[in-house]
Amino acid sequence: MYKITYKTYLNERLKKVDFHGQLTHPLYVQVTFERKTIFFKSYYFELFSKPRYFLIVPGAGSKGPSLEQVIEKETEVVNFILDKFKDDFSLEKFKTAYAYYSKDLCDITEKGFIDYLYTYFWDKGSPHIGDLIKWGGSHVIAYDLIKDFKRTFNKALYDELVENSFYYAPPYLPIYGYMQQTKRWPMLILPVHEWSRPETQAAFREYVGVYYKGMGTEELVTKVNRWPDYLKM
């Protein structure tokens, strides 16, 4: 069997970029097999570079994810893929699997959910709230915004907003809610490789049974499994 090696590295051939106040070369991944090597951008470096992963608390300072935490996530997905294809490995399969299994379900479904909120508030006669959410919300996690809505909206409006989302938006709320119970900031993600594990889906079913009793559990699981469709939204 040929040896497979991989590493993460800062690509010094590229200009430095801002990673939450720290100038650094972009993170890349290198995989070598049968004397051939491929290089590609780190998905998690780009994901955790987004403004919403930088927390600013008035009077208490600010904090963002570290490069070490990003590298840890890269290592997890690479090891998952190597184990999955250990008996039938190729660099082509690795590239395809990485593009699939590294994706964060929270990030993927959030865009469609924000589009839903945008339309919802326009339909309710509050277009400026809709515009603010769609065009000015890059620093805000949508799930946190919904929690604030629960504290400030009347119950009927909030319940309608949430219930309608199950018909007109990706299943972002149950995905993020489940994930948040198992992760700590700033690593608030649910990668596809984690979701693909039977124990994760079993735990998700239990979560839905407690917090989303009005929704069909298997229907929600089916919607989550349709995640590639949400990339087109």
Side-chain angles (χ1 to χ4, degrees):
M1 176 179 292
Y2 288 94
K3 184 178 181 181
I4 305 168
T5 61
Y6 72 90
K7 69 175 182 179
T8 56
Y9 67 99
L10 299 177
N11 192 339
E12 297 181 355
R13 294 183 178 182
L14 301 179
K15 291 182 179 180
K16 288 186 175 181
V17 295
D18 185 294
F19 186 72
H20 302 307
Q22 174 186 353
L23 278 179
T24 178
H25 296 288
L27 187 70
Y28 268 61
V29 180
Q30 172 183 316
V31 181
T32 301
F33 175 64
E34 291 186 341
R35 299 180 183 177
K36 295 180 181 179
T37 301
I38 56 174
F39 313 85
F40 51 91
K41 293 180 181 179
S42 159
Y43 168 76
Y44 294 111
F45 181 81
E46 293 200 350
L47 176 66
F48 286 108
S49 292
K50 293 184 177 183
R52 69 172 179 268
Y53 288 103
F54 189 63
L55 182 65
I56 302 176
V57 180
S62 59
K63 185 179 181 182
S66 67
L67 283 173
E68 289 75 18
Q69 288 173 310
V70 174
I71 291 172
E72 181 181 345
K73 292 302 171 186
E74 288 293 347
T75 302
E76 287 178 7
V77 69
V78 169
N79 284 333
F80 172 86
I81 295 170
L82 293 182
D83 182 65
K84 185 174 183 65
F85 295 99
K86 60 186 175 183
D87 298 323
D88 186 24
F89 184 86
S90 72
L91 291 178
E92 291 72 21
K93 286 182 178 180
F94 182 90
K95 287 179 65 176
T96 301
Y98 180 87
Y100 183 86
Y101 287 107
S102 62
K103 294 293 191 295
D104 171 34
L105 293 174
C106 297
D107 183 68
I108 289 168
T109 55
E110 186 180 50
K111 180 182 181 301
F113 184 76
I114 289 174
D115 288 343
Y116 157 73
L117 292 177
Y118 171 72
T119 302
Y120 178 85
F121 284 107
W122 267 82
D123 289 346
K124 283 293 182 182
S126 299
H128 301 303
I129 294 178
D131 287 348
L132 181 63
I133 292 170
K134 186 173 180 65
W135 307 115
S138 63
H139 288 71
V140 179
I141 294 173
Y143 190 85
D144 293 337
L145 184 64
I146 295 300
K147 289 195 297 184
D148 278 358
F149 285 169
K150 186 174 184 178
R151 288 189 287 266
T152 55
F153 287 3
N154 66 62
K155 187 176 185 304
L157 179 63
Y158 173 80
D159 288 347
E160 180 188 75
L161 183 153
V162 171
E163 182 176 351
N164 284 359
S165 74
F166 292 117
Y167 303 101
Y168 303 112
Y172 170 75
L173 290 179
I175 289 174
Y176 200 97
Y178 163 74
M179 177 280 302
Q180 197 175 48
Q181 290 197 336
T182 63
K183 304 293 179 66
R184 296 181 60 183
W185 192 91
M187 299 289 107
L188 298 179
I189 63 173
L190 181 60
V192 173
H193 73 86
E194 285 188 30
W195 170 255
S196 67
R197 301 177 188 274
E199 60 269 26
T200 300
Q201 297 192 23
F204 178 78
R205 286 180 169 91
E206 291 183 8
Y207 171 83
V208 170
V210 173
Y211 294 97
Y212 293 94
K213 295 180 180 179
M215 295 299 297
T217 301
E218 295 309 314
E219 180 183 357
L220 274 176
V221 171
T222 299
K223 286 185 175 182
V224 178
N225 285 328
R226 287 176 45 213
W227 71 266
D229 294 341
Y230 305 131
L231 291 172
K232 305 170 186 175
M233 300 182 71

